Amino acid sequence: MKLGIVTYQIAADWDIDTIIEKCKKLGYEGVELRTGHKHGVETTLSKQEREDIKKKFQESNIKLVGLGSVFEYHSPDKEELRKNIEGTKEYIILAKDVGAEGVKVRPNAFPENVPREKTIEQIGISLREVSSFAADYGIKIRLEVHGKETSYPYYIKQMINIANHQNLYICWNSNITDIDETGSIEKNFNLLKDKIDICHINELCNEYPWIELFKLLNRINFDGFCLAEIQASSEPDRLLSYYKVLFNTYNKIVQTEK
């Protein structure tokens, strides 16, 4: 497994040069650029600006793991839904231009007064469309396990099944809702394990069963990125240094117990 960062929130105020510099200095191998942050990697960039960003990452050997969009497909408003789908397509082209591997999208809620089955189907059909479009550009679509109630893996699995597209993957998000009544995440993990492409990990000292997660990831021979999605700090270098040590320690424990 490789360790990287999500710019939300620890690196929200860093530009591209700072992100690359910090990753190299602190031993983080990649980054997911969350939209709306100082890095400015957005669809408004010119062709030359896109090429410059791609070159910077290529020369640095820091992997541009993906672009973290906030596009979502649950709205019952057809115009709003289409806006999100077309926005995703623009972001896919951006990802291709800057050398990113994938684009993260998300479910965010079940609208009131709409049957859940209908919303799940709409999300699944929308995911199929954007996944097909992204395949033509060599870009992965990653569905984040996200949102109030929509974050339950049971619902995410249904969306994936309806989409039924080989270019659609999962961003495991390390939510407390992954934990079942027994205190384990294994049952929910197994629902999605065949599609997990990246993981968001947060505070490694909280109540989430991190050792179990790393064991399960090792069991499926996961060799992708675990991306630190942690709070901002007045001492980011210090925090990220400690974070990496803890991440490596957990992984050593898992390897020892193999």
Side-chain angles (χ1 to χ4, degrees), residues 32-80:
E32 179 184 271
L33 302 176
R34 169 70 146 73
T35 187
H37 291 164
K38 188 175 180 179
H39 58 71
V41 179
E42 308 288 352
T43 55
T44 52
L45 291 178
S46 68
K47 180 179 179 181
Q48 185 59 54
E49 288 170 327
R50 296 178 187 214
E51 289 176 355
D52 291 344
I53 289 167
K54 182 177 182 178
K55 184 178 180 182
K56 284 183 178 182
F57 277 102
Q58 287 177 335
E59 292 179 347
S60 71
N61 290 321
I62 299 300
K63 179 73 172 179
L64 182 45
V65 180
L67 303 182
S69 82
V70 291
F71 293 116
E72 50 200 30
Y73 316 112
H74 64 265
S75 176
D77 184 302
K78 291 185 178 180
E79 185 175 335
E80 180 66 21

Side-chain angles (χ1 to χ4, degrees), residues 233-251:
S233 169
S234 59
E235 298 179 282
D237 290 24
R238 188 164 182 254
L239 173 60
L240 287 167
S241 295
Y242 280 126
Y243 193 94
K244 184 186 177 187
V245 170
L246 191 51
F247 175 83
N248 289 340
T249 300
Y250 284 174
N251 272 290

Side-chain angles (χ1 to χ4, degrees), residues 59-257:
E59 292 179 347
S60 71
N61 290 321
I62 299 300
K63 179 73 172 179
L64 182 45
V65 180
L67 303 182
S69 82
V70 291
F71 293 116
E72 50 200 30
Y73 316 112
H74 64 265
S75 176
D77 184 302
K78 291 185 178 180
E79 185 175 335
E80 180 66 21
L81 173 61
R82 181 46 53 184
K83 179 181 177 182
N84 275 270
I85 291 172
E86 295 305 319
T88 307
K89 292 177 180 179
E90 291 181 18
Y91 225 63
I92 288 164
I93 295 170
L94 173 65
K96 176 67 173 179
D97 290 345
V98 298
E101 186 179 66
V103 169
K104 180 188 67 64
V105 297
R106 66 185 192 186
N108 205 29
F110 285 118
E112 293 183 7
N113 304 317
V114 179
R116 288 188 177 183
E117 295 77 11
K118 183 176 180 180
T119 299
I120 290 168
E121 182 179 27
Q122 176 178 293
I123 293 172
I125 292 170
S126 301
L127 287 168
R128 186 189 307 153
E129 180 176 344
V130 297
S131 297
S132 179
F133 184 89
D136 292 339
Y137 289 85
I139 299 297
K140 297 178 179 180
I141 292 294
R142 296 164 173 150
L143 180 65
E144 185 177 18
V145 184
H146 184 275
K148 184 179 179 181
E149 296 188 310
T150 54
S151 64
Y152 286 97
Y154 171 76
Y155 295 127
I156 297 291
K157 177 66 171 176
Q158 292 179 52
M159 296 170 196
I160 290 285
N161 287 346
I162 290 168
N164 189 28
H165 201 285
Q166 62 182 5
N167 193 43
L168 176 60
Y169 300 89
I170 289 293
C171 168
W172 186 262
N173 202 37
S174 305
N175 303 307
I176 293 301
T177 48
D178 302 335
I179 304 171
D180 66 18
E181 64 280 359
T182 70
S184 171
I185 63 170
E186 184 171 8
K187 182 171 67 175
N188 283 318
F189 181 91
N190 286 341
L191 287 174
L192 304 175
K193 66 180 182 180
D194 294 337
K195 282 288 191 175
I196 294 174
D197 192 59
I198 59 172
C199 289
H200 285 177
I201 54 178
N202 45 66
E203 303 297 339
L204 293 178
C205 58
N206 66 16
E207 66 269 37
Y208 195 84
W210 297 109
I211 297 293
E212 183 184 19
L213 174 62
F214 292 163
K215 284 181 179 179
L216 292 169
L217 289 170
N218 272 276
R219 194 177 297 170
I220 64 171
N221 297 313
F222 178 78
D223 61 357
F225 273 90
C226 291
L227 299 163
E229 188 176 19
I230 54 179
Q231 295 292 320
S233 169
S234 59
E235 298 179 282
D237 290 24
R238 188 164 182 254
L239 173 60
L240 287 167
S241 295
Y242 280 126
Y243 193 94
K244 184 186 177 187
V245 170
L246 191 51
F247 175 83
N248 289 340
T249 300
Y250 284 174
N251 272 290
K252 286 178 182 178
I253 292 171
V254 169
Q255 296 299 324
T256 301
E257 295 182 1

